[in-house]
Amino acid sequence: MPQSGARGFAVVDFETTGLVPERGDRAIEIGVTLLAPDGTIEHEDETLIHVSRDLGPQHVHHIRAADLRHAPEFDGIARQLRDYLAGRVFVAHNAAFDSRVLRSEYARLGYDIPVRGTSSASSALSAPSALSAPSASPRNSSARRSITHSSTTLCTMRLGGKLLGVRSLAACCNRFGIGNPDAHSALSDAHATALLLREYMRMIPDWPGWNAHLDAAEHAVWPRIGEDMVRWMPRPTHTDAGSTFVDNPFTDNPFADNPFADNPFADGPIPITERQIAGRVESTGNRSSVGPAGTAHTQTTPTPPPRLREGDRIALTGSMSQRRSDWIDDLSAVGIVVWPSVTKKVRLVVAADVDSESTKARKARDYGIPIVSERWLKTAIENGVDA
């Protein structure tokens, strides 16, 4: 693994519960790809991140609450992540968003980090027709203007708009034949973005912005992180040794490139302990518990009623497949009341994810109220509601 504070680029992608971290949306997965100043991929890592809330649009990121049950909290990855990022240019596709997520997560722990929004560098690039295709020669391009700035952040989306005339990650990657086999997983997106960055570097190799960003990032002062490190935990689908990126010529298996995989206790993060998991269960009301050997099992939850009754109070939680307003209309039509919060008079909680750790789901477990899925609710309505 590269040394902490090494000069280069750190390409980062987050999967999140939503788009506004300032209003409580959280990071639930991070992927990091580290590049040397010449664009060579040096290291990759990823982890899910446990949060005690609903997970937002799960149809986009495909992360379930059960996947996060034993994942580290952000405070457990903060120090290792700091070591990955310190000294490197922060790169993301839509860096304005990813940098806000990063700053928000560190701010929750009381740290102010030197990653500030998007770079103004892309505005110093013009978008002549000569750069509209990857085969264009940068030698005759007016895009290589000298700029003066001290940004530690680069946005491949904004650069794509200037250099290629397109902005989405898929469209930018398509221009260079870069694949993204697991789009909307953090490491796959970070890896594709890293390959895209390397293509930009080949297009305009003598752009002064590269070294200006590298110099600024190398001298940026990061705070010391005091939190203990916990071993990073990839998605279950990424722990298969056969999972590979077809476009990565530098590693056979980026998912396995974890410097602590062989000996997690030596000079690095420690696994989440039985005490930590048990404490999480107690504090969140999660249905998981830990047996004598530290293995997790699922507690019995209340059985939902066989039929619904007119006047039943039901609470909804999570990002549903059907619009919440439509659910309210459908339930009102059969005499069911949608209650805004969970009280002891609520008969059911309907969750987008029955393993959710949203406030409503945790309170339902505390009160012994059944939690059911949208599918269960649809079937119950089809079976009829008792007067």
Side-chain angles (χ1 to χ4, degrees):
M1 184 178 68
Q3 182 180 358
S4 174
R7 182 179 173 95
F9 301 91
V11 183
V12 173
D13 185 78
F14 285 106
E15 297 301 319
T16 65
T17 63
L19 300 177
V20 190
E22 297 83 1
R23 297 181 183 175
D25 283 316
R26 299 293 307 277
I28 55 176
E29 186 182 36
I30 184 173
V32 182
T33 299
L34 304 182
L35 289 82
D38 65 358
T40 300
I41 293 178
E42 298 179 311
H43 181 72
E44 298 190 297
D45 208 348
E46 65 167 343
T47 187
L48 295 167
I49 304 169
H50 179 269
V51 293
S52 298
R53 56 153 294 161
D54 73 89
L55 302 186
Q58 292 173 289
H59 66 283
V60 175
H61 52 64
H62 303 295
I63 296 172
R64 309 295 298 175
D67 297 332
L68 303 186
R69 189 169 292 158
H70 302 303
E73 308 275 352
F74 187 83
D75 62 357
I77 71 167
R79 181 147 57 108
Q80 181 63 64
L81 181 58
R82 183 259 186 214
D83 289 346
Y84 285 154
L85 301 182
R88 294 177 182 269
V89 180
F90 179 90
V91 183
H93 201 81
N94 192 0
F97 173 71
D98 289 282
S99 63
R100 282 166 45 220
V101 173
L102 184 71
R103 289 198 309 274
S104 177
E105 291 294 344
Y106 274 107
R108 286 174 174 270
L109 303 178
Y111 298 109
D112 183 25
I113 61 171
V115 175
R116 291 287 180 268
T118 57
S119 165
S120 61
S122 62
S123 63
L125 293 171
S126 61
S129 58
L131 285 181
S132 62
S135 59
S137 171
R139 294 178 181 270
N140 300 320
S141 171
S142 61
R144 297 171 291 133
R145 300 179 184 177
S146 180
I147 61 174
T148 301
H149 58 76
S150 58
S151 175
T152 62
T153 304
L154 271 174
C155 180
T156 54
M157 183 180 74
R158 295 181 67 185
L159 288 170
K162 295 292 184 179
L163 297 175
L164 307 176
V166 294
R167 291 169 62 87
S168 75
L169 180 58
C172 290
C173 288
N174 284 342
R175 291 294 185 94
F176 300 101
I178 297 171
N180 189 1
D182 197 9
H184 292 296
S185 72
L187 183 55
S188 187
D189 284 352
H191 182 83
T193 301
L195 298 180
L196 181 62
L197 176 67
R198 192 169 62 195
E199 294 298 334
Y200 292 163
M201 295 172 70
R202 290 169 176 168
M203 288 181 69
I204 48 173
D206 54 348
W207 177 49
W210 302 127
N211 280 328
H213 281 79
L214 288 165
D215 290 343
E218 188 175 23
H219 294 96
V221 179
W222 278 75
R224 293 179 60 86
I225 306 299
E227 279 71 12
D228 291 336
M229 289 193 289
V230 175
R231 186 168 55 190
W232 289 31
M233 190 188 87
R235 292 188 190 215
T237 54
H238 291 183
T239 58
D240 182 356
S243 297
T244 59
F245 284 130
V246 295
D247 292 294
N248 184 359
F250 299 98
T251 68
D252 292 329
N253 183 3
F255 298 126
D257 191 12
N258 185 326
F260 308 108
D262 294 331
N263 184 2
F265 296 97
D267 300 321
I270 59 173
I272 296 178
T273 64
E274 178 177 337
R275 176 178 296 180
Q276 288 171 311
I277 297 174
R280 179 180 299 170
V281 173
E282 181 179 354
S283 64
T284 65
N286 194 303
R287 293 185 302 162
S288 292
S289 60
V290 179
T295 57
H297 58 83
T298 302
Q299 297 174 339
T300 302
T301 55
T303 302
R307 293 176 66 85
L308 295 174
R309 300 189 302 257
E310 287 185 18
D312 277 345
R313 296 180 182 182
I314 289 179
L316 307 177
T317 186
S319 180
M320 304 285 191
S321 61
Q322 179 173 306
R323 289 190 305 177
R324 189 161 301 204
S325 59
D326 292 340
W327 268 124
I328 293 173
D329 291 342
D330 291 348
L331 291 166
S332 297
V334 295
I336 303 297
V337 179
V338 176
W339 209 246
S341 60
V342 175
T343 69
K344 292 183 179 180
K345 292 184 178 181
V346 167
R347 195 176 188 207
L348 285 175
V349 170
V350 182
D353 183 339
V354 294
D355 293 306
S356 172
E357 290 191 31
S358 69
T359 300
K360 290 179 182 178
R362 285 183 279 132
K363 187 171 289 188
R365 294 186 187 104
D366 290 341
Y367 291 161
I369 297 171
I371 300 175
V372 300
S373 66
E374 286 184 89
R375 179 179 296 181
W376 185 97
L377 183 59
K378 290 177 182 177
T379 302
I381 292 174
E382 291 170 357
N383 290 340
V385 176
D386 295 338

